[in-house]
Each structure stands twice: as C-alpha cells, then as structure tokens.
Amino acid sequence: MDKTLTQTAKPKIKQPKRFQVLLLNDDYTMMEFVIEVLKRFFSKSEETAQAIMLKVHIEGEGVCGTYSHDIAQTKVSQVLEFSRNNEQPLMCVIRELND
Ligand code: TYC
C-alpha cells in the first residue's frame, strides 16, 4: 500500500450514539398499565417498575433504558402499539444522549 496514505490517515474511532427511551406522564394512563409496560418491554422487576412509574408520575418523565437508535425506536413503537391497543394515552419518546 502507498506509505503516504497509511502515514497521514487519522484514526477514526466514532462511538455509536446512544438514546434514552423515556415515558412521559399524563392524567389518564393507569398506574398498573405503566408498571406492566416497564416489566414487559424493559425487563424491569415489579419494584423497579413501580419506582420508575412513580418518578414519571411525580416528575413528568423517567428513563426506561438506554439503547442504540434502532433498538430505542423499536421499543417506542412497541410501547405505543401496546398502549393504543389497550386504549391508554401513554407517551413514549427517545432522547439522544450527549456524552
Ligand atoms: N399520572 C397517571 C395517573 O395518575 C399515572 C402515570 C404514570 C401515567 C406514568 C403515565 O408515564 C406515566 N393515573
């Protein structure tokens, strides 16, 4: 290989972007339903799910997990589909992490 190419090439190591999946509070979604979502789609224990649900209820939002963009978007789609199928207005969004 041409030496000038290898000697001048800068190492390009980009870390993959990470995305948080958040649940948002609303006045209508049942607390038990939010706990079920956290267990079913984010593999949380009953206790952790209760704690996250309460945090969202009190503070307005809470983190369910941190993922690659693909996985985060899939989680959001799954939560929204499950919520609409069960007539719950629960909102779930992704937020890019700036590390
Ligand atoms: N605020 C809702 C209630 O009082 C409960 C709730 C919690 C809704 C978390 C959404 O992401 C949520 N029934």
Side-chain angles (χ1 to χ4, degrees), residues 29-70:
T29 302
M30 288 164 57
M31 290 183 174
E32 275 307 322
F33 184 80
V34 179
I35 292 169
E36 174 59 27
V37 164
L38 286 159
K39 293 200 289 190
R40 182 181 291 238
F41 298 108
F42 301 97
S43 305
K44 303 301 185 190
S45 67
E46 175 72 26
E47 294 70 26
T48 305
Q50 280 181 19
I52 295 173
M53 183 282 293
L54 273 181
K55 184 185 169 72
V56 178
H57 178 66
I58 292 164
E59 297 179 12
E61 64 176 52
V63 179
C64 308
T66 302
Y67 308 94
S68 67
H69 188 267
D70 266 20

Side-chain angles (χ1 to χ4, degrees), residues 65-79:
T66 302
Y67 308 94
S68 67
H69 188 267
D70 266 20
I71 304 282
Q73 194 58 67
T74 299
K75 299 270 179 203
V76 169
S77 300
Q78 288 172 334
V79 170

Side-chain angles (χ1 to χ4, degrees), residues 21-33:
V21 174
L22 306 169
L23 285 180
L24 306 183
N25 190 35
D26 66 73
D27 291 339
Y28 304 103
T29 302
M30 288 164 57
M31 290 183 174
E32 275 307 322
F33 184 80

